[in-house]
Amino acid sequence: MEIKVLGTGCANCKNTVQLIESVANALGVSIQLEKVESLPEIMRYGVMSTPGVVIDGKVVHAGSVPTRAQVESWLRPES
């Protein structure tokens, strides 16, 4: 699973990265996590407010730090 956190390095962006890493470790899920800080690249995803989260090329969240429950729902394998 490829996950990108879109943001210019603000506190909320860093918190989002830490939350995703924490949940992935807790669930034992292998992820590739990338921080995207380039404004032109962030704009290519159509994200106007950060942090944004992109999973496997699809924007799943933008504008705030996601909740732990949201991150868990993204990372849990489909049953």
Side-chain angles (χ1 to χ4, degrees), residues 6-62:
L6 312 178
T8 56
C10 66
N12 283 344
C13 300
K14 292 175 184 173
N15 290 339
T16 299
V17 168
Q18 290 173 342
L19 177 61
I20 291 171
E21 288 174 336
S22 171
V23 171
N25 288 335
L27 295 177
V29 175
S30 176
I31 61 169
Q32 285 183 284
L33 186 58
E34 179 184 348
K35 293 179 252 180
V36 177
E37 296 184 355
S38 159
L39 279 176
E41 192 169 345
I42 292 169
M43 297 296 279
R44 271 189 260 151
Y45 286 100
V47 170
M48 300 305 280
S49 58
T50 59
V53 180
V54 177
I55 298 180
D56 294 332
K58 180 182 175 196
V59 176
V60 296
H61 186 82

